[in-house]
Amino acid sequence: MNKNIKIILWIIFIGLIALASYSLRPMKNIQNSEVENTVDINSDLIIVGFSQLGSESDWRTANTKSIQNALTKKNGFSLIFSNGRQSQENQIKDVRSFIFQEVDYIVIAPVTETGWDTVLKEAREAGIPVIIVDRMINTDDESLYVACVGTDKYAEGEKAGIWLEKYLEEQKSEENVTQENESLSEETASQEENGLNTEVINIVVLEGTPNSTAQIGRSKGFEDIARKHENWNILAQDSGDFTKAKGKEVMAKYLQEYDDIDILVSQNDDMTFGAIEAIQEAGLTCGVNGKIKVISFDAVSEAFDRMEDGLINVDIECNPLQGQLIAELIERLEKGKKVDKVSYVEEKVFKAENAGIERIGRSY
Ligand code: GYE
């Protein structure tokens, strides 16, 4: 064989071997059906496995987007996203899959609070730091996670109660003015002077997923304020699982059982949208000028529409934009810096009367 041909054949042969070994290089292979990408362990990117709990609400969609937009390749991350579809069992499988793939960090938005210890111990043994986002976990061993990023759900529940206190006081003083004008009877006047307000306020609550931080915190925060008012009568507290369909179903049931509901406390906007439909289908009214006053949580874009329509009185914000905080936290950990064990994002209270202005510049 001609010497030149031999050299060319050798070059082709070596080239083929190089190509084969490149395509057979180790890839982090994902075992889970809901996982969105495959990660190249040879890259310099920080590999983060994110177990999102589901896609039950507008809030959740905004939360997922926020994290995906912050943990991008451009920012130095490679994100493996998995959707637990509302099941802790799925989430635990996803976390195990992240451990198997030797990711650098595991981020979990836990559907419920209890039952995480075993899998988190497995992550610790594998040396993978865990960050808990949105909701919390209930554990005696705080070393199972490095940090928690989320919102103060108890404070949100309290804010709902405080809004109702103020609203009822305002209503009372408006009534007093009207009654004074109509010359109040002596007996009622002395009751008002003694601060006696005997009118019963009937409240129904649509709760979120049982045993989730959002349900536990919001229920407790509101109940602690309600307890201070003897005339606040909580008629029912059932779960609408944070979805529009379930919210509508449970509200329809409440409307059949109780004919004198004054206040609806709905622990997220999606359930509120369903409940409004149930109220309207029952031929009743709600909101600013309606019979049933509505307190909602989250403050997503559609809730601002409903506030502008006057159908929701107040919305207690729960801020889903947590991605940036998570990215910063991981960057600090990478540099070996200390991080806060718990970080909360800021949140406000939006009232129907200001909804048009307050919504300007909001991204979700
Ligand atoms: O309020 C609700 C949801 O955990 C704060 O989960 C979150 C809650 C949010 O799906 O809409």
Side-chain angles (χ1 to χ4, degrees):
M1 208 184 285
N2 172 315
K3 200 179 161 197
N4 282 345
I5 294 177
K6 261 191 191 168
I7 292 171
I8 290 167
L9 284 176
W10 266 111
I11 291 170
I12 293 171
F13 180 67
I14 289 166
L16 283 174
I17 289 185
L19 203 70
S21 62
Y22 179 77
S23 57
L24 291 174
R25 76 202 188 284
M27 298 282 282
K28 293 208 167 185
N29 225 345
I30 288 125
Q31 309 295 303
N32 187 294
S33 56
E34 287 279 317
V35 171
E36 274 182 7
N37 45 350
T38 305
V39 169
D40 180 353
I41 54 165
N42 296 326
S43 79
D44 292 334
L45 300 171
I46 303 167
I47 302 167
V48 180
F50 171 36
S51 165
Q52 177 59 288
L53 64 90
S55 46
E56 73 288 359
S57 64
D58 289 0
W59 188 97
R60 187 67 48 203
T61 308
N63 180 248
T64 299
K65 272 194 199 150
S66 163
I67 296 172
Q68 285 174 331
N69 290 342
L71 302 184
T72 57
K73 291 215 164 105
K74 205 176 118 234
N75 293 342
F77 298 96
S78 182
L79 181 66
I80 311 172
F81 175 81
S82 68
N83 182 343
R85 287 166 288 137
Q86 251 58 46
S87 140
Q88 186 183 38
E89 207 185 320
N90 287 343
Q91 286 201 279
I92 289 175
K93 274 189 208 149
D94 292 337
V95 172
R96 292 214 164 105
S97 155
F98 298 151
I99 297 171
F100 176 77
Q101 294 166 76
E102 299 170 18
V103 299
D104 298 314
Y105 292 87
I106 293 175
V107 174
I108 309 172
V111 63
T112 47
E113 288 202 345
T114 51
W116 293 97
D117 283 42
T118 308
V119 75
L120 293 190
K121 276 181 192 150
E122 291 168 25
R124 186 171 59 191
E125 270 159 35
I128 304 172
V130 172
I131 298 166
I132 306 292
V133 300
D134 168 24
R135 302 179 182 171
M136 259 312 287
I137 60 163
N138 185 341
T139 177
D140 291 334
D141 185 354
E142 286 196 352
S143 73
L144 290 175
Y145 58 92
V146 276
C148 159
V149 173
T151 57
D152 189 343
K153 319 283 193 296
Y154 177 82
E156 291 165 6
E158 274 189 324
K159 284 180 196 167
I162 291 165
W163 177 84
L164 186 55
E165 277 180 338
K166 287 205 183 121
Y167 174 79
L168 294 172
E169 268 167 32
E170 279 165 19
Q171 292 297 104
K172 208 167 106 183
S173 45
E174 271 172 32
E175 268 168 35
N176 284 351
V177 173
T178 327
Q179 280 178 353
E180 266 165 34
N181 290 345
E182 290 167 1
S183 102
L184 201 58
S185 79
E186 265 175 38
E187 194 195 340
T188 326
S190 86
Q191 272 192 0
E192 295 292 350
E193 271 161 30
N194 292 335
L196 291 173
N197 178 9
T198 48
E199 196 201 338
V200 173
I201 306 296
N202 285 324
I203 302 167
V204 291
V205 183
L206 283 174
E207 292 193 317
T209 306
N211 191 26
S212 69
T213 309
Q215 178 271 312
I216 297 170
R218 289 171 189 169
S219 296
K220 182 140 196 337
F222 182 77
E223 282 162 17
D224 284 352
I225 302 286
R227 207 166 296 123
K228 296 183 193 164
H229 302 274
E230 275 181 24
N231 61 325
W232 290 20
N233 179 26
I234 300 184
L235 296 167
Q237 296 177 267
D238 285 348
S239 170
D241 216 11
F242 284 133
T243 67
K244 182 178 175 185
K246 204 70 201 299
K248 183 172 180 177
E249 185 189 312
V250 176
M251 188 66 203
K253 192 192 75 182
Y254 285 164
L255 290 167
Q256 276 179 353
E257 280 172 26
Y258 309 103
D259 57 10
D260 194 17
I261 300 171
D262 299 304
I263 310 288
L264 163 65
V265 178
S266 168
Q267 290 180 354
N268 89 338
D269 285 336
D270 292 73
M271 291 191 296
T272 307
F273 305 148
I276 291 173
E277 282 184 13
I279 292 169
Q280 291 174 335
E281 283 171 22
L284 295 169
T285 56
C286 64
V288 183
N289 297 314
K291 174 170 163 23
I292 302 173
K293 305 298 164 198
V294 180
I295 302 174
S296 191
F297 290 80
D298 282 356
V300 296
S301 176
E302 196 182 330
F304 279 87
D305 296 342
R306 297 291 91 82
M307 280 196 277
E308 289 198 73
D309 297 341
L311 295 170
I312 297 177
N313 292 69
V314 65
D315 215 308
I316 316 299
E317 184 183 30
C318 180
N319 189 344
L321 306 182
Q322 299 167 3
Q324 192 50 36
L325 216 62
I326 297 165
E328 283 166 15
L329 207 134
I330 294 178
E331 276 154 13
R332 283 185 71 81
L333 290 169
E334 284 291 289
K335 288 180 189 146
K337 291 188 182 168
K338 276 189 84 179
V339 296
D340 291 336
K341 194 79 184 176
V342 179
S343 320
Y344 288 141
V345 285
E346 273 185 34
E347 11 198 33
K348 294 184 182 172
V349 172
F350 298 108
K351 296 179 194 164
E353 51 270 33
N354 306 325
I357 293 185
E358 303 249 42
R359 73 182 308 173
I360 296 169
R362 290 174 66 78
S363 61
Y364 60 94

PDB file of all heavy atoms in Angstrom, residues 53 56-57 59-60 134-135 151 153 214 218 242 267-270 298 318, ligand 1:
ATOM      1  N   LEU A  53     -43.232  20.421  43.201  1.00  0.00           N
ATOM      2  CA  LEU A  53     -44.279  19.524  43.719  1.00  0.00           C
ATOM      3  C   LEU A  53     -45.408  19.250  42.737  1.00  0.00           C
ATOM      4  O   LEU A  53     -46.098  18.243  42.828  1.00  0.00           O
ATOM      5  CB  LEU A  53     -44.836  20.068  45.038  1.00  0.00           C
ATOM      6  CG  LEU A  53     -45.576  21.415  45.028  1.00  0.00           C
ATOM      7  CD1 LEU A  53     -47.047  21.234  44.800  1.00  0.00           C
ATOM      8  CD2 LEU A  53     -45.358  22.108  46.364  1.00  0.00           C
ATOM      9  N   GLU A  56     -50.365  22.697  40.048  1.00  0.00           N
ATOM     10  CA  GLU A  56     -51.770  22.836  40.410  1.00  0.00           C
ATOM     11  C   GLU A  56     -52.349  24.239  40.263  1.00  0.00           C
ATOM     12  O   GLU A  56     -53.563  24.393  40.218  1.00  0.00           O
ATOM     13  CB  GLU A  56     -51.957  22.341  41.862  1.00  0.00           C
ATOM     14  CG  GLU A  56     -51.423  23.255  42.984  1.00  0.00           C
ATOM     15  CD  GLU A  56     -49.892  23.305  43.096  1.00  0.00           C
ATOM     16  OE1 GLU A  56     -49.203  22.622  42.333  1.00  0.00           O
ATOM     17  OE2 GLU A  56     -49.397  24.072  43.941  1.00  0.00           O
ATOM     18  N   SER A  57     -51.485  25.272  40.191  1.00  0.00           N
ATOM     19  CA  SER A  57     -52.032  26.630  40.257  1.00  0.00           C
ATOM     20  C   SER A  57     -51.219  27.612  39.418  1.00  0.00           C
ATOM     21  O   SER A  57     -50.102  27.315  39.008  1.00  0.00           O
ATOM     22  CB  SER A  57     -52.013  27.101  41.716  1.00  0.00           C
ATOM     23  OG  SER A  57     -50.668  27.188  42.176  1.00  0.00           O
ATOM     24  N   TRP A  59     -49.960  30.236  40.593  1.00  0.00           N
ATOM     25  CA  TRP A  59     -48.809  30.548  41.450  1.00  0.00           C
ATOM     26  C   TRP A  59     -47.658  29.584  41.156  1.00  0.00           C
ATOM     27  O   TRP A  59     -46.517  29.978  41.003  1.00  0.00           O
ATOM     28  CB  TRP A  59     -49.230  30.422  42.924  1.00  0.00           C
ATOM     29  CG  TRP A  59     -48.195  30.909  43.880  1.00  0.00           C
ATOM     30  CD1 TRP A  59     -48.144  32.141  44.468  1.00  0.00           C
ATOM     31  CD2 TRP A  59     -47.042  30.195  44.368  1.00  0.00           C
ATOM     32  NE1 TRP A  59     -47.040  32.239  45.272  1.00  0.00           N
ATOM     33  CE2 TRP A  59     -46.344  31.061  45.233  1.00  0.00           C
ATOM     34  CE3 TRP A  59     -46.529  28.917  44.156  1.00  0.00           C
ATOM     35  CZ2 TRP A  59     -45.176  30.692  45.891  1.00  0.00           C
ATOM     36  CZ3 TRP A  59     -45.351  28.556  44.798  1.00  0.00           C
ATOM     37  CH2 TRP A  59     -44.687  29.432  45.663  1.00  0.00           C
ATOM     38  N   ARG A  60     -47.997  28.304  41.064  1.00  0.00           N
ATOM     39  CA  ARG A  60     -46.957  27.282  40.854  1.00  0.00           C
ATOM     40  C   ARG A  60     -46.270  27.498  39.513  1.00  0.00           C
ATOM     41  O   ARG A  60     -45.056  27.348  39.392  1.00  0.00           O
ATOM     42  CB  ARG A  60     -47.629  25.889  40.920  1.00  0.00           C
ATOM     43  CG  ARG A  60     -46.696  24.701  40.896  1.00  0.00           C
ATOM     44  CD  ARG A  60     -45.831  24.571  42.112  1.00  0.00           C
ATOM     45  NE  ARG A  60     -46.560  24.690  43.343  1.00  0.00           N
ATOM     46  CZ  ARG A  60     -46.017  25.045  44.504  1.00  0.00           C
ATOM     47  NH1 ARG A  60     -44.729  25.308  44.597  1.00  0.00           N
ATOM     48  NH2 ARG A  60     -46.753  25.157  45.594  1.00  0.00           N
ATOM     49  N   ASP A 134     -40.149  27.287  48.738  1.00  0.00           N
ATOM     50  CA  ASP A 134     -41.593  27.534  48.860  1.00  0.00           C
ATOM     51  C   ASP A 134     -42.126  27.044  50.209  1.00  0.00           C
ATOM     52  O   ASP A 134     -42.285  27.797  51.136  1.00  0.00           O
ATOM     53  CB  ASP A 134     -42.352  26.906  47.670  1.00  0.00           C
ATOM     54  CG  ASP A 134     -43.855  26.867  47.886  1.00  0.00           C
ATOM     55  OD1 ASP A 134     -44.342  27.688  48.674  1.00  0.00           O
ATOM     56  OD2 ASP A 134     -44.537  26.016  47.268  1.00  0.00           O
ATOM     57  N   ARG A 135     -42.430  25.736  50.307  1.00  0.00           N
ATOM     58  CA  ARG A 135     -42.973  25.194  51.560  1.00  0.00           C
ATOM     59  C   ARG A 135     -41.851  24.633  52.421  1.00  0.00           C
ATOM     60  O   ARG A 135     -40.741  24.432  51.946  1.00  0.00           O
ATOM     61  CB  ARG A 135     -43.983  24.095  51.234  1.00  0.00           C
ATOM     62  CG  ARG A 135     -45.107  24.614  50.366  1.00  0.00           C
ATOM     63  CD  ARG A 135     -46.097  23.534  50.017  1.00  0.00           C
ATOM     64  NE  ARG A 135     -47.141  24.066  49.138  1.00  0.00           N
ATOM     65  CZ  ARG A 135     -48.056  23.333  48.525  1.00  0.00           C
ATOM     66  NH1 ARG A 135     -48.070  22.023  48.691  1.00  0.00           N
ATOM     67  NH2 ARG A 135     -48.967  23.882  47.756  1.00  0.00           N
ATOM     68  N   THR A 151     -41.838  31.751  51.765  1.00  0.00           N
ATOM     69  CA  THR A 151     -42.653  32.862  52.248  1.00  0.00           C
ATOM     70  C   THR A 151     -43.201  32.501  53.627  1.00  0.00           C
ATOM     71  O   THR A 151     -43.332  31.318  53.949  1.00  0.00           O
ATOM     72  CB  THR A 151     -43.840  33.119  51.304  1.00  0.00           C
ATOM     73  OG1 THR A 151     -44.603  31.910  51.191  1.00  0.00           O
ATOM     74  CG2 THR A 151     -43.372  33.555  49.924  1.00  0.00           C
ATOM     75  N   LYS A 153     -45.942  31.830  55.647  1.00  0.00           N
ATOM     76  CA  LYS A 153     -47.356  31.503  55.449  1.00  0.00           C
ATOM     77  C   LYS A 153     -48.199  31.827  56.693  1.00  0.00           C
ATOM     78  O   LYS A 153     -49.371  32.162  56.585  1.00  0.00           O
ATOM     79  CB  LYS A 153     -47.542  30.010  55.124  1.00  0.00           C
ATOM     80  CG  LYS A 153     -46.519  29.412  54.164  1.00  0.00           C
ATOM     81  CD  LYS A 153     -46.783  29.798  52.754  1.00  0.00           C
ATOM     82  CE  LYS A 153     -45.999  28.981  51.755  1.00  0.00           C
ATOM     83  NZ  LYS A 153     -44.547  29.100  51.772  1.00  0.00           N
ATOM     84  N   ALA A 214     -48.360  25.764  53.328  1.00  0.00           N
ATOM     85  CA  ALA A 214     -49.269  26.847  52.965  1.00  0.00           C
ATOM     86  C   ALA A 214     -50.620  26.673  53.668  1.00  0.00           C
ATOM     87  O   ALA A 214     -51.232  27.655  54.108  1.00  0.00           O
ATOM     88  CB  ALA A 214     -49.440  26.889  51.457  1.00  0.00           C
ATOM     89  N   ARG A 218     -51.371  29.277  56.890  1.00  0.00           N
ATOM     90  CA  ARG A 218     -52.488  30.202  56.644  1.00  0.00           C
ATOM     91  C   ARG A 218     -53.658  29.911  57.572  1.00  0.00           C
ATOM     92  O   ARG A 218     -54.308  30.830  58.055  1.00  0.00           O
ATOM     93  CB  ARG A 218     -52.903  30.136  55.168  1.00  0.00           C
ATOM     94  CG  ARG A 218     -51.866  30.759  54.275  1.00  0.00           C
ATOM     95  CD  ARG A 218     -52.116  30.532  52.812  1.00  0.00           C
ATOM     96  NE  ARG A 218     -50.944  30.990  52.052  1.00  0.00           N
ATOM     97  CZ  ARG A 218     -50.737  30.757  50.774  1.00  0.00           C
ATOM     98  NH1 ARG A 218     -51.616  30.069  50.072  1.00  0.00           N
ATOM     99  NH2 ARG A 218     -49.649  31.213  50.175  1.00  0.00           N
ATOM    100  N   PHE A 242     -56.003  23.425  46.629  1.00  0.00           N
ATOM    101  CA  PHE A 242     -55.343  24.493  45.857  1.00  0.00           C
ATOM    102  C   PHE A 242     -55.720  24.481  44.376  1.00  0.00           C
ATOM    103  O   PHE A 242     -55.015  25.064  43.556  1.00  0.00           O
ATOM    104  CB  PHE A 242     -53.809  24.419  45.987  1.00  0.00           C
ATOM    105  CG  PHE A 242     -53.266  24.931  47.299  1.00  0.00           C
ATOM    106  CD1 PHE A 242     -52.320  24.201  48.021  1.00  0.00           C
ATOM    107  CD2 PHE A 242     -53.669  26.148  47.819  1.00  0.00           C
ATOM    108  CE1 PHE A 242     -51.794  24.668  49.228  1.00  0.00           C
ATOM    109  CE2 PHE A 242     -53.156  26.630  49.022  1.00  0.00           C
ATOM    110  CZ  PHE A 242     -52.224  25.885  49.719  1.00  0.00           C
ATOM    111  N   GLN A 267     -57.695  29.879  50.528  1.00  0.00           N
ATOM    112  CA  GLN A 267     -56.235  29.897  50.717  1.00  0.00           C
ATOM    113  C   GLN A 267     -55.399  29.954  49.441  1.00  0.00           C
ATOM    114  O   GLN A 267     -54.184  29.935  49.497  1.00  0.00           O
ATOM    115  CB  GLN A 267     -55.807  28.728  51.619  1.00  0.00           C
ATOM    116  CG  GLN A 267     -56.265  28.928  53.040  1.00  0.00           C
ATOM    117  CD  GLN A 267     -55.861  27.809  53.979  1.00  0.00           C
ATOM    118  OE1 GLN A 267     -55.312  26.781  53.556  1.00  0.00           O
ATOM    119  NE2 GLN A 267     -56.120  27.992  55.267  1.00  0.00           N
ATOM    120  N   ASN A 268     -56.036  30.008  48.268  1.00  0.00           N
ATOM    121  CA  ASN A 268     -55.279  30.429  47.070  1.00  0.00           C
ATOM    122  C   ASN A 268     -56.238  30.925  45.996  1.00  0.00           C
ATOM    123  O   ASN A 268     -57.460  30.692  46.048  1.00  0.00           O
ATOM    124  CB  ASN A 268     -54.313  29.356  46.556  1.00  0.00           C
ATOM    125  CG  ASN A 268     -54.927  28.398  45.556  1.00  0.00           C
ATOM    126  OD1 ASN A 268     -56.141  28.223  45.502  1.00  0.00           O
ATOM    127  ND2 ASN A 268     -54.090  27.757  44.764  1.00  0.00           N
ATOM    128  N   ASP A 269     -55.671  31.630  45.021  1.00  0.00           N
ATOM    129  CA  ASP A 269     -56.501  32.269  43.996  1.00  0.00           C
ATOM    130  C   ASP A 269     -57.247  31.265  43.128  1.00  0.00           C
ATOM    131  O   ASP A 269     -58.394  31.498  42.764  1.00  0.00           O
ATOM    132  CB  ASP A 269     -55.634  33.168  43.106  1.00  0.00           C
ATOM    133  CG  ASP A 269     -55.235  34.460  43.808  1.00  0.00           C
ATOM    134  OD1 ASP A 269     -55.957  34.882  44.738  1.00  0.00           O
ATOM    135  OD2 ASP A 269     -54.208  35.041  43.422  1.00  0.00           O
ATOM    136  N   ASP A 270     -56.595  30.157  42.788  1.00  0.00           N
ATOM    137  CA  ASP A 270     -57.273  29.202  41.904  1.00  0.00           C
ATOM    138  C   ASP A 270     -58.562  28.685  42.541  1.00  0.00           C
ATOM    139  O   ASP A 270     -59.602  28.602  41.884  1.00  0.00           O
ATOM    140  CB  ASP A 270     -56.331  28.033  41.542  1.00  0.00           C
ATOM    141  CG  ASP A 270     -55.186  28.519  40.665  1.00  0.00           C
ATOM    142  OD1 ASP A 270     -54.295  29.198  41.208  1.00  0.00           O
ATOM    143  OD2 ASP A 270     -55.208  28.262  39.456  1.00  0.00           O
ATOM    144  N   ASP A 298     -52.334  34.736  47.285  1.00  0.00           N
ATOM    145  CA  ASP A 298     -51.410  34.586  46.143  1.00  0.00           C
ATOM    146  C   ASP A 298     -51.227  35.910  45.401  1.00  0.00           C
ATOM    147  O   ASP A 298     -50.125  36.347  45.182  1.00  0.00           O
ATOM    148  CB  ASP A 298     -51.825  33.519  45.104  1.00  0.00           C
ATOM    149  CG  ASP A 298     -51.523  32.093  45.560  1.00  0.00           C
ATOM    150  OD1 ASP A 298     -50.920  31.933  46.645  1.00  0.00           O
ATOM    151  OD2 ASP A 298     -51.898  31.154  44.835  1.00  0.00           O
ATOM    152  N   CYS A 318     -48.583  36.137  47.986  1.00  0.00           N
ATOM    153  CA  CYS A 318     -47.573  35.128  48.260  1.00  0.00           C
ATOM    154  C   CYS A 318     -46.655  35.209  47.056  1.00  0.00           C
ATOM    155  O   CYS A 318     -47.069  34.984  45.928  1.00  0.00           O
ATOM    156  CB  CYS A 318     -48.219  33.753  48.377  1.00  0.00           C
ATOM    157  SG  CYS A 318     -47.004  32.500  48.723  1.00  0.00           S
TER     158      CYS A 318
HETATM  159  O1  GYE B   1     -50.362  29.617  47.512  1.00  0.00           O
HETATM  160  C1  GYE B   1     -50.794  27.920  45.995  1.00  0.00           C
HETATM  161  C2  GYE B   1     -50.029  26.747  45.636  1.00  0.00           C
HETATM  162  O2  GYE B   1     -47.133  26.718  48.470  1.00  0.00           O
HETATM  163  C3  GYE B   1     -47.352  29.040  48.533  1.00  0.00           C
HETATM  164  O3  GYE B   1     -49.159  26.466  46.654  1.00  0.00           O
HETATM  165  C4  GYE B   1     -47.633  27.804  47.798  1.00  0.00           C
HETATM  166  C5  GYE B   1     -49.072  27.579  47.482  1.00  0.00           C
HETATM  167  C6  GYE B   1     -49.765  28.683  46.713  1.00  0.00           C
HETATM  168  O4  GYE B   1     -50.304  26.004  44.653  1.00  0.00           O
HETATM  169  O5  GYE B   1     -51.403  28.565  44.930  1.00  0.00           O
END
